[in-house]
Amino acid sequence: ITGRMSGPSCILPSGRVYVKGVRKEYRMMSDNERARFHAAMWALKRNGDYDRLAHIHANVNQAPSAHSGPAFLAWHREYIKRFEIALRLVDPSVSLPYWDTTLEGALADVRYSSLWTAELMGSTMNGAVTSGAFRGWTAITGATMVRNLGRDSGRVLNSNDRRLALGKTRIESVMAFTSTRAGCPYSIEWDNLEFAHGYSHVYVGGEMLEQHTAAFDPIFFLYHSYIDSMWEDWRIARQTRNTRPVAYPTNNPACSSVAHFSTSPMSPFAPLQNIDGCSNDYTDNLYSYDTRRPSCALGENCGSKFLFCDRSHGAAHCAAKIRLGIPCAGYVRG
């Protein structure tokens, strides 16, 4: 960002003020906030910045620490930070929302969710997305982006996955070794956050199914905002402020590639190193997560017209409202 500082904010060359953003669950936004977010996304698409940023994630050789190792969370934190800055240069009132997949995971079938309607992400279940806020959005090939909901997997990251991830106590279990070799003293934990995050990628399918195309579906950035929020929740619960910026799994070539070492370059974000993605500066200065998250304590709509408090299946919990025309059998309490 180029501009001049004025206290805790930055005055952009346009004269507009760039202040710390607040990331909300996509359905907890007001209609106006959501419309402004959609408009800013389309502005990035039209000026080429969206595709330029999506190509960074598409180039595996350019971003060797993005996946398959401890730097996964730190790399994506820096990546979506840069994406959010691009959004907010279009409209400083906008912040990157997140997609809490546990709200879909609470349903008998994820496709039942009102998220997949023309008012939100589009009603296309399989094939080119021709409705919703991002109808006609083009993929890396130039053709309209595709989703294939549930074709390759029956579920998204759910509340149990979240519970297991946030229940980890060691840094090596969170910034996990997901591609170990013989001789690594750490065994692979299959419920770590990098592996668990794959469920939703596979469920959405289409562009989201493969690394080189995933970022060309806008839901990618909302989803990784949620993964980042989970990591931040873990950091707050399990680490002190002073340990967060310095705690990182051991540099061991038997456990991960050198690209994932703490002092290795966070390519292509020079001069950052992977450890820099653990800095407190992100959430101190650039963004925070809304403290008003979906909750039955907010009422029967969990704080959003797109959600409801399910009291029919165990302890009360929030879930996505079901699309019109879909059977609602099994909901007997409220």
Side-chain angles (χ1 to χ4, degrees), residues 149-185:
L149 302 184
R151 189 183 71 179
D152 299 295
S153 171
R155 74 177 187 90
V156 292
L157 184 152
N158 60 34
S159 58
N160 187 55
D161 299 318
R162 177 185 173 88
R163 179 184 61 79
L164 292 171
L166 296 185
K168 302 291 186 183
T169 58
R170 298 182 305 149
I171 190 71
E172 295 84 5
S173 300
V174 178
M175 302 183 76
F177 297 117
T178 52
S179 186
T180 60
R181 301 170 179 83
C184 178

Side-chain angles (χ1 to χ4, degrees), residues 1 5-11 17-23 77-78 81 84-85 88 92 94-95 228 232 235 241 244-245 276 278-289:
I1 300 175
M5 295 305 297
S6 176
S9 60
C10 179
I11 308 301
V17 179
Y18 190 104
V19 297
K20 184 176 178 180
V22 178
R23 296 179 180 177
R77 171 163 285 198
E78 175 63 22
K81 178 210 81 174
E84 183 172 54
I85 288 174
R88 302 190 72 217
V94 167
S95 294
D228 186 77
E232 188 62 19
R235 281 158 55 92
R241 178 177 173 81
R244 288 173 212 152
D276 293 324
C278 299
S279 170
N280 289 318
D281 288 346
Y282 292 89
T283 51
D284 279 354
N285 302 321
L286 293 172
Y287 66 88
S288 61
Y289 287 96

Side-chain angles (χ1 to χ4, degrees), residues 66 73 82 88 97 132 137 143 178 264 289 308:
L73 292 168
R82 291 175 182 240
R88 302 190 72 217
W137 192 271
T178 52
S264 292
Y289 287 96
F308 76 104

